[in-house]
Amino acid sequence: MKDELSTIEKNSTWELVDLPYGKKTIGLKWVYKVKYSDDGLIQKHKARLVAKGYSQQPGVDFSETYAHVARMETIHDLIYFGTNKAMVAEFKNQMMKEFEMTDLGLIKYFLGIQVKQSPGRIFLSQEKYIEDLFKKFNMSQCKPLSTPMALNENFQVNDDGEKADSTTAKRILRYLKGTKTQGIEFKKESECKLVGYTDSDWVGSIDDRKSISGYIFCLGSNVISWSSRKQKFVALSSAEVEYIACTNAACEAV
């Protein structure tokens, strides 16, 4: 509880003010949770202080329908617009209404990612981070692979195959070995058009009969958002799988 209060104060989550005339305070509630490790042991105790939102009235106590969260897709948007000078002025005018922005100038590394900048082009690469991983797990001489997973395989808990070594995830490291010079490129373009694609794999998980959804979104030719994950519900047909995948993609587009 002390950690939670300390975080709230550190992040300036709220400020104390006099209660406006005719308004009622919204109560708070402590929510406790025990987090367990994979072997069933208690890993940590968590406490969260939350507002009793059910006592609020739309248009009276609040106008937003969701909490603002910084997402990686937003960072990709910022980088994309940063490479297109023609859009920067309009973009800044919109963003400055809600956010404070600071020009960091020319940077070489950001959050462990190598950044290469040139006029109208930004290239993000994690080569340095990958090399450190190879040294840590003694796999600098491993053979490279072009995919992080075996192709054309359905998910299954017990498939009588050899158990994977979860402590090293060797195949993923071998994939990184083969793609360490690759990265994400954001380049200058004349058109800012959002385009999305979606696909699905019916009954991709044999054990629970759930399917896999995937989507990818681009601004121009610059990829800004992507996902591939198991659907929450069991679809009864391949057509239903496609509808669920399209719905997920539509929500991301919005």
Side-chain angles (χ1 to χ4, degrees), residues 66-84:
Y66 63 94
H68 295 293
V69 178
R71 294 179 50 172
M72 208 62 198
E73 293 87 344
T74 307
I75 304 300
H76 295 158
D77 287 346
L78 287 169
I79 296 172
Y80 169 75
F81 282 106
T83 62
N84 292 267

Side-chain angles (χ1 to χ4, degrees), residues 76-213:
H76 295 158
D77 287 346
L78 287 169
I79 296 172
Y80 169 75
F81 282 106
T83 62
N84 292 267
K85 290 187 176 180
M87 305 174 189
V88 168
E90 180 184 353
F91 176 70
K92 281 186 175 179
N93 288 337
Q94 294 175 358
M95 292 296 291
M96 289 301 288
K97 293 177 181 177
E98 297 188 48
F99 304 100
E100 284 190 24
M101 300 182 67
T102 302
D103 186 359
L104 298 178
L106 191 64
I107 56 176
K108 293 185 178 180
Y109 289 95
F110 178 70
L111 297 178
I113 301 175
Q114 186 177 17
V115 181
K116 297 180 181 179
Q117 295 175 258
S118 60
R121 179 180 179 271
I122 297 177
F123 184 78
L124 308 181
S125 169
Q126 299 195 74
E127 186 174 349
K128 181 179 181 297
Y129 177 69
I130 292 172
E131 290 294 346
D132 290 340
L133 278 179
F134 292 149
K135 293 177 182 177
K136 180 179 180 180
F137 294 106
N138 298 318
M139 291 188 63
S140 298
Q141 305 303 319
C142 67
K143 294 182 179 180
L145 291 172
S146 58
T147 62
M149 291 179 61
L151 299 177
N152 302 319
E153 286 192 4
N154 289 338
F155 297 112
Q156 190 172 2
V157 175
N158 298 313
D159 57 3
D160 297 326
E162 184 181 349
K163 280 193 173 182
D165 185 352
S166 60
T167 60
T168 62
K170 289 184 178 180
R171 184 182 178 95
I172 296 177
L173 288 174
R174 290 175 64 187
Y175 164 71
L176 293 175
K177 176 81 170 182
T179 57
K180 65 179 182 179
T181 59
Q182 299 179 14
I184 303 175
E185 181 181 42
F186 297 87
K187 59 186 179 181
K188 181 180 179 181
E189 292 183 314
S190 58
E191 187 178 26
C192 175
K193 186 177 181 181
L194 179 66
V195 179
Y197 303 89
T198 182
D199 198 3
S200 62
D201 180 17
W202 189 36
V203 193
S205 177
I206 297 174
D207 296 291
D208 57 14
R209 308 292 294 173
K210 290 184 178 179
S211 306
I212 311 299
S213 291

